[in-house]
Amino acid sequence: TWFRVTGRVPDAWAGRAVEAVLDLGFDRDMPGFQCEGLVHNRDGEAVKGLHPRNSWVRIAAPASGGEEVELYVEAASNPIVNVPQTPTYEGDRLTASSRPLYRLGRMDLAVFQPEVWELVRDLEVAGSLMAELPVEDARRWELLRALERTLDAVDLQDVPGSAARARERLAPALASPARASAHRVSAVGHAHIDSAWLWPLRETVRKVARTASNVVALMDAHPDFVFAMSQAQQFAWIKEHRPELWARVKKKVAEGQFVPVGGMWVESDTNMVGGEAMARQFLYGKKFFLDEFGVETREVWLPDSFGYTAAMPQLVKLSGSTWFLTQKISWSRTNPFPHHTFWWEGIDGTRVFTHFPPVDTYNARLNGRELAHAARTFREKGGSSHSLVPFGYGNGGGGPTREMLGRAARLRDLDGSPRVALERPAAFFEKAGEEYPQAPVWVGELYLELHRGTYTSQAKTKQGNRRAESLLREAELWAATAAVRVAGYAYPYERLERLWKTVLLHQFHDILPGSSIAWVHREARETYARVHAELDRLAGEAQAALAGQGDRPVVFNGAPHERGGVPAGGAAERPARSAAPVAVRERPQGGWTLDNGLLRIEVDGRGLVVSAYDRDAEREAVAPRQAANLLQVHPDLPNHWDAWDIDAFYRNSVTDLTHADELTLAEADEERATVRVARSFGDSSVVQWLTLRAGGKVLSVDTEVDWHECEKLLKATFPLDVKADQSASETQFGHVFRPTHTNTSWEAAKFEICAHRWIHVAEPGWGAALVNDSTYGHDVTRAVRADGGQTTTVRLSLLRAPRYPDPETDQGAHRMRYGLAPGAAVGDAVREGHWINLPERTVAGSGDPVAPLVRVEDGRGGQVVAEAVKLAEDRGGDVVVRLYEAHGGRAAATLTPGFPVASATETDLLERPLPHGSHPVEDGAVRVALRPFQILTLRLGRSAAQ
């Protein structure tokens, strides 16, 4: 709704500070979660945002009597869907009611009384500080008596006239300097703005404009005020939609007050985002800040993501960043995190200096309670004396207010309080790093002991992301190959960048995790459909150019491992099969036995897998008297945070789906055999196709679910006859190990874990893997049987049905694939995980083979993996290859380009040369050595003769 607001300054107010106070119908305790507004002047320029705690607009100081006022307010009527957290259909415009949500409050012109405003700041700072000091502390009583004297001096019949006299009574108490040992706080203005959550993306565009206009207006009045804003996407929205505001932001960035931080396109989820996508978060985020502002961001700013991958330290360093900040880990429910300032060590051994603010919020108000909490709980006492406090209204935006800056001014050096300095995040990190170089080390992931349901909620959003990541890999690979090999083929730089940025936006930590309103996920599904279609076209166009003219089938293998005789990243006519055919026989007790000479799979009359026998190892994978691929349904009613949480007590009740409505042999030939199983349960049904292929060591399970359950959790269960003390789960550019036991509360808290394309359990000499095409949530448990053996049970979390904030979460039809790989080592899991996500493509063409653009050989069957093959971002035509060591050991590999190479340069994620990054090219090949889980990006300069 647009309001045109007009008025006139009374003559009696001439020379005074005059402001408009605009109440859109606010609930004063809910900034960011209800109606908001953006004020414009008569020229249409944004002036300032409005929210319940910041509803004023300065008209003039001093004002002229009779001055005409004309303002335009764009007001947003956002439904309040977070209080209480109950199912609501208000979260989508297609289902929301048409009733009015807000009634306009007041629109007044008012005189701003600076001395009264300052008195209020004095009182609230002294009062909140006094309340936090111990009763035994004399300073508490000094402040209390000073407050009494101050209040006695206020004439309630003439507050403006008595304010100065009252302030004099309190001034001595507010002039007492802080103790020498006082904790030091770097206060950084901030407005954590969720790029989508309880509002759609389009509303976030407006939230960003409101917040940025607030901030630059504050900067004009407070030259020492510093504001940090992350998420390059949000800056890009300002540039696209508010050019006049963009000019003001750029000016404040140049002056050092408006500080870009974060280095990522959005504040993404880090559990489920794929490795290459995480690299692109940094590439496009940091590149935006460099291109637009000339700023090299050094802080990775992720206060609110739901846990942090152990791959992050290496990615931070390779992005050219130095420091990492998080806050959300304070939400863990079981174990308090032991550090606030520490070195975080990732899976490859890279360490990054990390801070976790003890204030325990990224929306601080700079009051006495928050600052006392920060000083009291800071765990690095004696080693460090500094912490950072992000202050400002957030989640829904709004940012700092002049009231917060008033408190900060009084807290610079005040007895009983930490010393507060307004400064840039870099200033804090530099001081903290110098003061505490020997900070403790935390190794591995920063697992959030909360919000474990986000690995599963909104399955189609997650499936859309995984499919998009795979298609982007293929589109870049085939487009780069065609650009180098085919005359006249132009690499689609702009289209690929646009598609990458769309996918990166949807990896925001309330979209990909499935914790946004229905509107967000409906649009995400529509967006992914468009992205998939365009990427299919891009890949198809490049493959057609490479395949040439003809009608012979050419098989393209986009995976980083050779498959069926087709080289990795290449194409060929499918070679004749040399594997033994699949044999099928009916079991006397019902069901079928499928055997390809490598695996023998027995499916019983219930449609359950009762045997998966590894013929090479002469080893049974399924635990005795148990069944694999057992679907189980649990009640799923977390105590709070419906879409976010899975609580451990869900395991107390379970329904096993053992009845088959139909069981048929759907397909049986030399190439494959498939058993079809149909089941019904509750209001839902499921059909599964269990397939064994010739030459394969994976039992593939295609699952189609028509899901209409409410507050239930669907798991696929695989009890394995293996004594595994730990599981290995794929993460970005490697894997993480987690204990299968629950010796400590730390291990017990990890009852639901995240894995990407595969999860693996093993004992010395033998293991098994589960691979998937779109599932992230898993759990692994162990039990000792009566025979003394151990059963390690691995389960995939397939679907949930939370009702808040989207009451229809996951309702409807789903199709997903996963597979059991008995006898698999980690290397097999890596290979099979890529294969299930990157199926072959067959294109009609000349039949001539397409050699890989680059070939990677390590002598160990895929230990060194090419995660991305693309052309360089600078449009120079060089080929960029991103490799990583996948097994967790040292590796040597030879990279052989399929084109003349003039140079090979190791780069960071932004494709900038690293010191000592030149690699010799010998006989047209590059030899590299990698440490465990190392990421290596090589820029291959194409020979000028080409």
Side-chain angles (χ1 to χ4, degrees), residues 144-164:
L144 178 60
R145 300 307 177 215
L147 285 164
E148 289 175 347
R149 292 192 296 270
T150 302
L151 292 172
D152 287 343
V154 176
D155 181 354
L156 295 181
Q157 305 305 312
D158 183 15
V159 175
S162 60

mmCIF file with all atom_site columns, all heavy atoms in Angstrom, residues 144-164:
data_model
loop_
_atom_site.group_PDB
_atom_site.id
_atom_site.type_symbol
_atom_site.label_atom_id
_atom_site.label_alt_id
_atom_site.label_comp_id
_atom_site.label_asym_id
_atom_site.label_entity_id
_atom_site.label_seq_id
_atom_site.pdbx_PDB_ins_code
_atom_site.Cartn_x
_atom_site.Cartn_y
_atom_site.Cartn_z
_atom_site.occupancy
_atom_site.B_iso_or_equiv
_atom_site.pdbx_formal_charge
_atom_site.auth_seq_id
_atom_site.auth_comp_id
_atom_site.auth_asym_id
_atom_site.auth_atom_id
_atom_site.pdbx_PDB_model_num
ATOM 1   N N   . LEU A 1 144 ? 22.742 3.044  41.470 1.00 0.00 ? 144 LEU A N   1
ATOM 2   C CA  . LEU A 1 144 ? 21.372 3.070  41.963 1.00 0.00 ? 144 LEU A CA  1
ATOM 3   C C   . LEU A 1 144 ? 21.055 4.416  42.617 1.00 0.00 ? 144 LEU A C   1
ATOM 4   O O   . LEU A 1 144 ? 20.006 5.023  42.350 1.00 0.00 ? 144 LEU A O   1
ATOM 5   C CB  . LEU A 1 144 ? 21.152 1.927  42.949 1.00 0.00 ? 144 LEU A CB  1
ATOM 6   C CG  . LEU A 1 144 ? 19.764 1.852  43.596 1.00 0.00 ? 144 LEU A CG  1
ATOM 7   C CD1 . LEU A 1 144 ? 18.692 1.678  42.535 1.00 0.00 ? 144 LEU A CD1 1
ATOM 8   C CD2 . LEU A 1 144 ? 19.709 0.736  44.630 1.00 0.00 ? 144 LEU A CD2 1
ATOM 9   N N   . ARG A 1 145 ? 21.939 4.900  43.494 1.00 0.00 ? 145 ARG A N   1
ATOM 10  C CA  . ARG A 1 145 ? 21.693 6.181  44.162 1.00 0.00 ? 145 ARG A CA  1
ATOM 11  C C   . ARG A 1 145 ? 21.698 7.340  43.159 1.00 0.00 ? 145 ARG A C   1
ATOM 12  O O   . ARG A 1 145 ? 20.895 8.272  43.282 1.00 0.00 ? 145 ARG A O   1
ATOM 13  C CB  . ARG A 1 145 ? 22.742 6.424  45.241 1.00 0.00 ? 145 ARG A CB  1
ATOM 14  C CG  . ARG A 1 145 ? 22.792 5.366  46.335 1.00 0.00 ? 145 ARG A CG  1
ATOM 15  C CD  . ARG A 1 145 ? 21.428 5.117  46.974 1.00 0.00 ? 145 ARG A CD  1
ATOM 16  N NE  . ARG A 1 145 ? 21.474 4.044  47.967 1.00 0.00 ? 145 ARG A NE  1
ATOM 17  C CZ  . ARG A 1 145 ? 20.501 3.197  48.173 1.00 0.00 ? 145 ARG A CZ  1
ATOM 18  N NH1 . ARG A 1 145 ? 19.377 3.296  47.486 1.00 0.00 ? 145 ARG A NH1 1
ATOM 19  N NH2 . ARG A 1 145 ? 20.612 2.253  49.086 1.00 0.00 ? 145 ARG A NH2 1
ATOM 20  N N   . ALA A 1 146 ? 22.585 7.253  42.161 1.00 0.00 ? 146 ALA A N   1
ATOM 21  C CA  . ALA A 1 146 ? 22.621 8.314  41.147 1.00 0.00 ? 146 ALA A CA  1
ATOM 22  C C   . ALA A 1 146 ? 21.329 8.323  40.332 1.00 0.00 ? 146 ALA A C   1
ATOM 23  O O   . ALA A 1 146 ? 20.807 9.396  39.980 1.00 0.00 ? 146 ALA A O   1
ATOM 24  C CB  . ALA A 1 146 ? 23.826 8.105  40.233 1.00 0.00 ? 146 ALA A CB  1
ATOM 25  N N   . LEU A 1 147 ? 20.791 7.154  40.050 1.00 0.00 ? 147 LEU A N   1
ATOM 26  C CA  . LEU A 1 147 ? 19.521 7.080  39.325 1.00 0.00 ? 147 LEU A CA  1
ATOM 27  C C   . LEU A 1 147 ? 18.385 7.665  40.161 1.00 0.00 ? 147 LEU A C   1
ATOM 28  O O   . LEU A 1 147 ? 17.511 8.376  39.640 1.00 0.00 ? 147 LEU A O   1
ATOM 29  C CB  . LEU A 1 147 ? 19.212 5.622  38.975 1.00 0.00 ? 147 LEU A CB  1
ATOM 30  C CG  . LEU A 1 147 ? 20.041 5.028  37.821 1.00 0.00 ? 147 LEU A CG  1
ATOM 31  C CD1 . LEU A 1 147 ? 19.947 3.511  37.818 1.00 0.00 ? 147 LEU A CD1 1
ATOM 32  C CD2 . LEU A 1 147 ? 19.548 5.585  36.481 1.00 0.00 ? 147 LEU A CD2 1
ATOM 33  N N   . GLU A 1 148 ? 18.405 7.400  41.446 1.00 0.00 ? 148 GLU A N   1
ATOM 34  C CA  . GLU A 1 148 ? 17.378 7.971  42.320 1.00 0.00 ? 148 GLU A CA  1
ATOM 35  C C   . GLU A 1 148 ? 17.429 9.499  42.286 1.00 0.00 ? 148 GLU A C   1
ATOM 36  O O   . GLU A 1 148 ? 16.396 10.179 42.162 1.00 0.00 ? 148 GLU A O   1
ATOM 37  C CB  . GLU A 1 148 ? 17.566 7.475  43.743 1.00 0.00 ? 148 GLU A CB  1
ATOM 38  C CG  . GLU A 1 148 ? 17.229 6.010  43.947 1.00 0.00 ? 148 GLU A CG  1
ATOM 39  C CD  . GLU A 1 148 ? 17.550 5.536  45.361 1.00 0.00 ? 148 GLU A CD  1
ATOM 40  O OE1 . GLU A 1 148 ? 18.258 6.275  46.086 1.00 0.00 ? 148 GLU A OE1 1
ATOM 41  O OE2 . GLU A 1 148 ? 17.111 4.436  45.728 1.00 0.00 ? 148 GLU A OE2 1
ATOM 42  N N   . ARG A 1 149 ? 18.641 10.047 42.401 1.00 0.00 ? 149 ARG A N   1
ATOM 43  C CA  . ARG A 1 149 ? 18.781 11.511 42.389 1.00 0.00 ? 149 ARG A CA  1
ATOM 44  C C   . ARG A 1 149 ? 18.347 12.091 41.047 1.00 0.00 ? 149 ARG A C   1
ATOM 45  O O   . ARG A 1 149 ? 17.726 13.173 40.996 1.00 0.00 ? 149 ARG A O   1
ATOM 46  C CB  . ARG A 1 149 ? 20.235 11.878 42.681 1.00 0.00 ? 149 ARG A CB  1
ATOM 47  C CG  . ARG A 1 149 ? 20.691 11.568 44.106 1.00 0.00 ? 149 ARG A CG  1
ATOM 48  C CD  . ARG A 1 149 ? 22.037 12.209 44.421 1.00 0.00 ? 149 ARG A CD  1
ATOM 49  N NE  . ARG A 1 149 ? 23.110 11.666 43.591 1.00 0.00 ? 149 ARG A NE  1
ATOM 50  C CZ  . ARG A 1 149 ? 23.851 10.609 43.913 1.00 0.00 ? 149 ARG A CZ  1
ATOM 51  N NH1 . ARG A 1 149 ? 23.618 9.944  45.054 1.00 0.00 ? 149 ARG A NH1 1
ATOM 52  N NH2 . ARG A 1 149 ? 24.825 10.188 43.127 1.00 0.00 ? 149 ARG A NH2 1
ATOM 53  N N   . THR A 1 150 ? 18.648 11.373 39.995 1.00 0.00 ? 150 THR A N   1
ATOM 54  C CA  . THR A 1 150 ? 18.277 11.857 38.655 1.00 0.00 ? 150 THR A CA  1
ATOM 55  C C   . THR A 1 150 ? 16.767 11.897 38.502 1.00 0.00 ? 150 THR A C   1
ATOM 56  O O   . THR A 1 150 ? 16.190 12.891 38.019 1.00 0.00 ? 150 THR A O   1
ATOM 57  C CB  . THR A 1 150 ? 18.903 10.944 37.587 1.00 0.00 ? 150 THR A CB  1
ATOM 58  O OG1 . THR A 1 150 ? 20.323 10.919 37.761 1.00 0.00 ? 150 THR A OG1 1
ATOM 59  C CG2 . THR A 1 150 ? 18.553 11.415 36.184 1.00 0.00 ? 150 THR A CG2 1
ATOM 60  N N   . LEU A 1 151 ? 16.111 10.835 38.886 1.00 0.00 ? 151 LEU A N   1
ATOM 61  C CA  . LEU A 1 151 ? 14.650 10.781 38.738 1.00 0.00 ? 151 LEU A CA  1
ATOM 62  C C   . LEU A 1 151 ? 13.970 11.821 39.629 1.00 0.00 ? 151 LEU A C   1
ATOM 63  O O   . LEU A 1 151 ? 12.930 12.390 39.261 1.00 0.00 ? 151 LEU A O   1
ATOM 64  C CB  . LEU A 1 151 ? 14.152 9.380  39.064 1.00 0.00 ? 151 LEU A CB  1
ATOM 65  C CG  . LEU A 1 151 ? 14.567 8.304  38.054 1.00 0.00 ? 151 LEU A CG  1
ATOM 66  C CD1 . LEU A 1 151 ? 14.207 6.915  38.561 1.00 0.00 ? 151 LEU A CD1 1
ATOM 67  C CD2 . LEU A 1 151 ? 13.908 8.552  36.700 1.00 0.00 ? 151 LEU A CD2 1
ATOM 68  N N   . ASP A 1 152 ? 14.564 12.088 40.788 1.00 0.00 ? 152 ASP A N   1
ATOM 69  C CA  . ASP A 1 152 ? 14.007 13.129 41.661 1.00 0.00 ? 152 ASP A CA  1
ATOM 70  C C   . ASP A 1 152 ? 14.072 14.494 41.000 1.00 0.00 ? 152 ASP A C   1
ATOM 71  O O   . ASP A 1 152 ? 13.262 15.387 41.309 1.00 0.00 ? 152 ASP A O   1
ATOM 72  C CB  . ASP A 1 152 ? 14.771 13.176 42.987 1.00 0.00 ? 152 ASP A CB  1
ATOM 73  C CG  . ASP A 1 152 ? 14.445 11.985 43.876 1.00 0.00 ? 152 ASP A CG  1
ATOM 74  O OD1 . ASP A 1 152 ? 13.416 11.324 43.627 1.00 0.00 ? 152 ASP A OD1 1
ATOM 75  O OD2 . ASP A 1 152 ? 15.242 11.706 44.801 1.00 0.00 ? 152 ASP A OD2 1
ATOM 76  N N   . ALA A 1 153 ? 15.034 14.664 40.105 1.00 0.00 ? 153 ALA A N   1
ATOM 77  C CA  . ALA A 1 153 ? 15.221 15.975 39.467 1.00 0.00 ? 153 ALA A CA  1
ATOM 78  C C   . ALA A 1 153 ? 14.320 16.168 38.256 1.00 0.00 ? 153 ALA A C   1
ATOM 79  O O   . ALA A 1 153 ? 14.263 17.274 37.693 1.00 0.00 ? 153 ALA A O   1
ATOM 80  C CB  . ALA A 1 153 ? 16.685 16.138 39.054 1.00 0.00 ? 153 ALA A CB  1
ATOM 81  N N   . VAL A 1 154 ? 13.633 15.122 37.817 1.00 0.00 ? 154 VAL A N   1
ATOM 82  C CA  . VAL A 1 154 ? 12.756 15.236 36.644 1.00 0.00 ? 154 VAL A CA  1
ATOM 83  C C   . VAL A 1 154 ? 11.404 15.786 37.087 1.00 0.00 ? 154 VAL A C   1
ATOM 84  O O   . VAL A 1 154 ? 10.751 15.229 37.972 1.00 0.00 ? 154 VAL A O   1
ATOM 85  C CB  . VAL A 1 154 ? 12.567 13.867 35.960 1.00 0.00 ? 154 VAL A CB  1
ATOM 86  C CG1 . VAL A 1 154 ? 11.575 13.990 34.808 1.00 0.00 ? 154 VAL A CG1 1
ATOM 87  C CG2 . VAL A 1 154 ? 13.899 13.330 35.459 1.00 0.00 ? 154 VAL A CG2 1
ATOM 88  N N   . ASP A 1 155 ? 11.014 16.894 36.469 1.00 0.00 ? 155 ASP A N   1
ATOM 89  C CA  . ASP A 1 155 ? 9.700  17.484 36.711 1.00 0.00 ? 155 ASP A CA  1
ATOM 90  C C   . ASP A 1 155 ? 8.740  16.886 35.685 1.00 0.00 ? 155 ASP A C   1
ATOM 91  O O   . ASP A 1 155 ? 8.830  17.185 34.493 1.00 0.00 ? 155 ASP A O   1
ATOM 92  C CB  . ASP A 1 155 ? 9.776  19.001 36.557 1.00 0.00 ? 155 ASP A CB  1
ATOM 93  C CG  . ASP A 1 155 ? 8.441  19.672 36.813 1.00 0.00 ? 155 ASP A CG  1
ATOM 94  O OD1 . ASP A 1 155 ? 7.435  18.961 37.001 1.00 0.00 ? 155 ASP A OD1 1
ATOM 95  O OD2 . ASP A 1 155 ? 8.401  20.914 36.804 1.00 0.00 ? 155 ASP A OD2 1
ATOM 96  N N   . LEU A 1 156 ? 7.852  16.030 36.109 1.00 0.00 ? 156 LEU A N   1
ATOM 97  C CA  . LEU A 1 156 ? 6.966  15.357 35.170 1.00 0.00 ? 156 LEU A CA  1
ATOM 98  C C   . LEU A 1 156 ? 5.975  16.316 34.516 1.00 0.00 ? 156 LEU A C   1
ATOM 99  O O   . LEU A 1 156 ? 5.335  15.958 33.523 1.00 0.00 ? 156 LEU A O   1
ATOM 100 C CB  . LEU A 1 156 ? 6.215  14.230 35.878 1.00 0.00 ? 156 LEU A CB  1
ATOM 101 C CG  . LEU A 1 156 ? 7.111  13.075 36.388 1.00 0.00 ? 156 LEU A CG  1
ATOM 102 C CD1 . LEU A 1 156 ? 6.277  11.992 37.045 1.00 0.00 ? 156 LEU A CD1 1
ATOM 103 C CD2 . LEU A 1 156 ? 7.950  12.496 35.258 1.00 0.00 ? 156 LEU A CD2 1
ATOM 104 N N   . GLN A 1 157 ? 5.836  17.505 35.057 1.00 0.00 ? 157 GLN A N   1
ATOM 105 C CA  . GLN A 1 157 ? 5.005  18.510 34.401 1.00 0.00 ? 157 GLN A CA  1
ATOM 106 C C   . GLN A 1 157 ? 5.795  19.297 33.358 1.00 0.00 ? 157 GLN A C   1
ATOM 107 O O   . GLN A 1 157 ? 5.199  20.019 32.555 1.00 0.00 ? 157 GLN A O   1
ATOM 108 C CB  . GLN A 1 157 ? 4.441  19.488 35.448 1.00 0.00 ? 157 GLN A CB  1
ATOM 109 C CG  . GLN A 1 157 ? 3.691  18.809 36.580 1.00 0.00 ? 157 GLN A CG  1
ATOM 110 C CD  . GLN A 1 157 ? 2.577  17.910 36.078 1.00 0.00 ? 157 GLN A CD  1
ATOM 111 O OE1 . GLN A 1 157 ? 1.797  18.336 35.226 1.00 0.00 ? 157 GLN A OE1 1
ATOM 112 N NE2 . GLN A 1 157 ? 2.513  16.687 36.590 1.00 0.00 ? 157 GLN A NE2 1
ATOM 113 N N   . ASP A 1 158 ? 7.101  19.149 33.388 1.00 0.00 ? 158 ASP A N   1
ATOM 114 C CA  . ASP A 1 158 ? 7.961  19.868 32.429 1.00 0.00 ? 158 ASP A CA  1
ATOM 115 C C   . ASP A 1 158 ? 9.232  19.051 32.198 1.00 0.00 ? 158 ASP A C   1
ATOM 116 O O   . ASP A 1 158 ? 10.326 19.409 32.618 1.00 0.00 ? 158 ASP A O   1
ATOM 117 C CB  . ASP A 1 158 ? 8.310  21.263 32.956 1.00 0.00 ? 158 ASP A CB  1
ATOM 118 C CG  . ASP A 1 158 ? 9.152  22.060 31.953 1.00 0.00 ? 158 ASP A CG  1
ATOM 119 O OD1 . ASP A 1 158 ? 9.205  21.649 30.764 1.00 0.00 ? 158 ASP A OD1 1
ATOM 120 O OD2 . ASP A 1 158 ? 9.783  23.054 32.371 1.00 0.00 ? 158 ASP A OD2 1
ATOM 121 N N   . VAL A 1 159 ? 9.059  17.910 31.557 1.00 0.00 ? 159 VAL A N   1
ATOM 122 C CA  . VAL A 1 159 ? 10.216 17.026 31.331 1.00 0.00 ? 159 VAL A CA  1
ATOM 123 C C   . VAL A 1 159 ? 11.273 17.726 30.483 1.00 0.00 ? 159 VAL A C   1
ATOM 124 O O   . VAL A 1 159 ? 12.461 17.711 30.831 1.00 0.00 ? 159 VAL A O   1
ATOM 125 C CB  . VAL A 1 159 ? 9.766  15.690 30.704 1.00 0.00 ? 159 VAL A CB  1
ATOM 126 C CG1 . VAL A 1 159 ? 10.977 14.829 30.353 1.00 0.00 ? 159 VAL A CG1 1
ATOM 127 C CG2 . VAL A 1 159 ? 8.840  14.949 31.658 1.00 0.00 ? 159 VAL A CG2 1
ATOM 128 N N   . PRO A 1 160 ? 10.916 18.390 29.336 1.00 0.00 ? 160 PRO A N   1
ATOM 129 C CA  . PRO A 1 160 ? 11.969 19.043 28.552 1.00 0.00 ? 160 PRO A CA  1
ATOM 130 C C   . PRO A 1 160 ? 12.726 20.102 29.353 1.00 0.00 ? 160 PRO A C   1
ATOM 131 O O   . PRO A 1 160 ? 13.953 20.207 29.244 1.00 0.00 ? 160 PRO A O   1
ATOM 132 C CB  . PRO A 1 160 ? 11.199 19.666 27.387 1.00 0.00 ? 160 PRO A CB  1
ATOM 133 C CG  . PRO A 1 160 ? 9.963  18.829 27.254 1.00 0.00 ? 160 PRO A CG  1
ATOM 134 C CD  . PRO A 1 160 ? 9.601  18.472 28.661 1.00 0.00 ? 160 PRO A CD  1
ATOM 135 N N   . GLY A 1 161 ? 11.987 20.852 30.189 1.00 0.00 ? 161 GLY A N   1
ATOM 136 C CA  . GLY A 1 161 ? 12.649 21.906 30.936 1.00 0.00 ? 161 GLY A CA  1
ATOM 137 C C   . GLY A 1 161 ? 13.542 21.393 32.045 1.00 0.00 ? 161 GLY A C   1
ATOM 138 O O   . GLY A 1 161 ? 14.464 22.101 32.482 1.00 0.00 ? 161 GLY A O   1
ATOM 139 N N   . SER A 1 162 ? 13.291 20.182 32.536 1.00 0.00 ? 162 SER A N   1
ATOM 140 C CA  . SER A 1 162 ? 14.074 19.660 33.657 1.00 0.00 ? 162 SER A CA  1
ATOM 141 C C   . SER A 1 162 ? 15.093 18.599 33.234 1.00 0.00 ? 162 SER A C   1
ATOM 142 O O   . SER A 1 162 ? 15.861 18.103 34.056 1.00 0.00 ? 162 SER A O   1
ATOM 143 C CB  . SER A 1 162 ? 13.125 19.053 34.705 1.00 0.00 ? 162 SER A CB  1
ATOM 144 O OG  . SER A 1 162 ? 12.363 17.988 34.146 1.00 0.00 ? 162 SER A OG  1
ATOM 145 N N   . ALA A 1 163 ? 15.108 18.227 31.957 1.00 0.00 ? 163 ALA A N   1
ATOM 146 C CA  . ALA A 1 163 ? 15.973 17.129 31.513 1.00 0.00 ? 163 ALA A CA  1
ATOM 147 C C   . ALA A 1 163 ? 17.441 17.442 31.728 1.00 0.00 ? 163 ALA A C   1
ATOM 148 O O   . ALA A 1 163 ? 18.214 16.590 32.191 1.00 0.00 ? 163 ALA A O   1
ATOM 149 C CB  . ALA A 1 163 ? 15.690 16.816 30.044 1.00 0.00 ? 163 ALA A CB  1
ATOM 150 N N   . ALA A 1 164 ? 17.859 18.701 31.404 1.00 0.00 ? 164 ALA A N   1
ATOM 151 C CA  . ALA A 1 164 ? 19.288 19.037 31.535 1.00 0.00 ? 164 ALA A CA  1
ATOM 152 C C   . ALA A 1 164 ? 19.718 18.953 32.997 1.00 0.00 ? 164 ALA A C   1
ATOM 153 O O   . ALA A 1 164 ? 20.796 18.435 33.306 1.00 0.00 ? 164 ALA A O   1
ATOM 154 C CB  . ALA A 1 164 ? 19.542 20.422 30.967 1.00 0.00 ? 164 ALA A CB  1
#
